[in-house]
Amino acid sequence: MFRFDQLIRRDMIIRDVKQRHPETVPVFEEFGFRSSCDDCDIETVARKNGLNVLDVVAALNQAAFQSKADIENASNQTSA
């Protein structure tokens, strides 16, 4: 079951997010985050790159949790 305390937040370290949610790696690459910034938090790197932090965090959460939510919804529909 999905829990809000599992969401990716702007203050999280990029390396930790990538390790916990490998499906976010393409999102980081799309936004131009370099691997040399992996020890920084998401907000700092987003601001340095001129990005909207909320857009970055939303895209990361969608990548990390969208497929899991789809699977959960499908299993709930088949068991009903």
Side-chain angles (χ1 to χ4, degrees), residues 12-28:
M12 294 178 119
I13 302 298
I14 294 168
R15 182 180 315 283
D16 296 341
V17 175
K18 286 181 175 180
Q19 288 175 346
R20 195 171 301 137
H21 305 286
E23 58 275 4
T24 62
V25 172
V27 177
F28 282 114

Side-chain angles (χ1 to χ4, degrees), residues 22-37:
E23 58 275 4
T24 62
V25 172
V27 177
F28 282 114
E29 291 171 354
E30 180 181 319
F31 280 109
F33 282 48
R34 296 188 197 123
S35 59
S36 61
C37 299

